[in-house]
Amino acid sequence: MPNEQVGKLRVLVADDNDAMRRSAVRRLESVFDVIGSVCSGDALVTAVLALEPDVVVSDIEMPGLTGPRAMRAIRQSGNLVPFVFITAGVVNAQLWLDAGAAGVVHKMDLNTDLVPAVEAAAGGRTFISKSIVS
C-alpha cells in the first residue's frame, strides 16, 4: 500500500475503548498518517503484518491478546516495528521498556505526550510520560 502522504510517519492505533481509540487517532492524525485503528490485540497482529506501519500505538490491557502479547507475536514474525503503549492505570514503565516497547504514555497525557512519544519511537529513542515516572 503506497504512502499517500509522503514523508509522514505511518501509525497504527489499537485500543479496545472506542472513545479512547478515536481520541488517540484524532491527536495523531494532525501530525502523522494514521493508517488504521483496531480494537483488539488479535486484530493488531493482523493489521501490522498487512499494513506495515512505522509505529504502533497500543493499549496495554485489551481483552484476549493484550498489547504486550501482540507485540511479542509481531516480533516473532520478524517485524520490529516500534511500540508505544498507552495505559490508564498505574504501570511500571521500565517493565514495558525492558519487554521491547519504545514508550509508555498515560492516557491522561495523550494530548501532550502521544505525538512526542511516537516521534521518539520512530527515531529509536524511548519516551515515558512524566506522570508515570516516579
Side-chain angles (χ1 to χ4, degrees):
M1 180 172 155
N3 184 357
E4 299 295 327
Q5 298 181 14
V6 177
K8 284 192 173 187
L9 287 173
R10 298 168 37 133
V11 181
L12 179 65
V13 177
D15 196 314
D16 60 308
N17 180 297
D18 291 339
M20 189 57 61
R21 190 174 61 253
R22 285 191 304 270
S23 178
V25 167
R26 274 193 308 276
R27 180 64 188 110
L28 292 168
E29 68 188 0
S30 66
V31 180
F32 308 114
D33 181 9
V34 178
I35 59 172
S37 67
V38 297
C39 60
S40 72
D42 295 308
L44 176 58
V45 172
T46 300
V48 166
L49 298 178
L51 300 174
E52 300 182 0
D54 298 314
V55 177
V56 170
V57 172
S58 175
D59 190 9
I60 290 176
E61 292 297 327
M62 292 185 283
L65 201 58
T66 64
R69 286 188 176 166
M71 181 180 70
R72 281 193 288 279
I74 291 162
R75 296 280 189 269
Q76 289 173 348
S77 77
N79 188 313
L80 301 178
V81 63
F83 267 70
V84 172
F85 285 129
I86 57 177
T87 183
V90 176
V91 65
N92 178 346
Q94 192 60 50
L95 175 73
W96 302 118
L97 295 178
D98 291 347
V104 182
V105 173
H106 199 281
K107 289 182 178 181
M108 70 180 193
D109 298 325
L110 280 185
N111 285 334
T112 58
D113 290 357
L114 193 54
V115 167
V118 169
E119 290 171 337
R125 299 179 312 277
T126 58
F127 185 98
I128 302 172
S129 285
K130 287 182 179 68
S131 63
I132 292 175
V133 178
S134 50

